Amino acid sequence: MKVVVIDGQGGRIGKLVVEKLAKSGQFDGEKNELIAIGTNTIATAAMLKAGAPLGATGDNPAAVNCVDADVVVGPIGIIAANALLGEVTPKMAFAVASCRARKLLIPTGRCNISVPGMNGVSIADCVQAAVDWILQNLTENFAR
């Protein structure tokens, strides 16, 4: 399974996801890949420091890695052009939204995108739910 974690700004959400996935010991780079893509170098560095074995920055790495990803994880703004204070380029948003991967989007409320019913649910709880889903589905061929 190829999991691509995309984040911007300071990389807080991506860092949390990567930490939990890296600690699982399931991402060896052969059977299961974990790739961190930052919209800026600070976000990329945070995810690499958290344990991502591979990382890159910008919209082209996002587009290239989403093509064959099984899962893409990040804040909900990664599917909206110009979100995250303009860090999500139209190319990046299109790559994420149109790829065949399962998208696990963490609602943050900062991109003018609201998910009704999410009031009172913490980002940490959403991240944990995303990580749990990935770990439970490592052997599934759900995205193809």
Side-chain angles (χ1 to χ4, degrees), residues 88-134:
V88 178
T89 66
K91 180 179 179 179
M92 184 180 288
F94 179 80
V96 174
S98 64
C99 74
R100 65 163 183 77
R102 175 68 60 117
K103 292 117 183 125
L104 302 177
L105 303 172
I106 310 300
T108 63
R110 294 186 179 183
C111 302
N112 283 334
I113 301 171
S114 298
V115 180
M118 295 304 296
N119 293 346
V121 179
S122 71
I123 288 177
D125 289 341
C126 292
V127 166
Q128 188 62 55
V131 168
D132 290 346
W133 189 94
I134 292 167

Side-chain angles (χ1 to χ4, degrees), residues 19-41:
E19 279 177 347
K20 291 175 180 295
L21 291 176
K23 285 181 185 175
S24 76
Q26 298 294 316
F27 293 87
D28 54 13
E30 291 181 27
K31 184 176 179 186
N32 298 311
E33 283 184 280
L34 179 58
I35 299 172
I37 305 294
T39 62
N40 63 63
T41 56

Side-chain angles (χ1 to χ4, degrees), residues 1-2 6 22-23 29 32-33 37-38 40 45 47 52-53 56 60 65 67 73 75 92-93 97 113 125 133 140-141:
M1 174 187 287
K2 180 178 178 180
I6 301 176
K23 285 181 185 175
N32 298 311
E33 283 184 280
I37 305 294
N40 63 63
M47 292 186 281
N60 199 60
N65 284 286
V67 168
V73 187
M92 184 180 288
I113 301 171
D125 289 341
W133 189 94
E140 299 291 323
N141 195 13

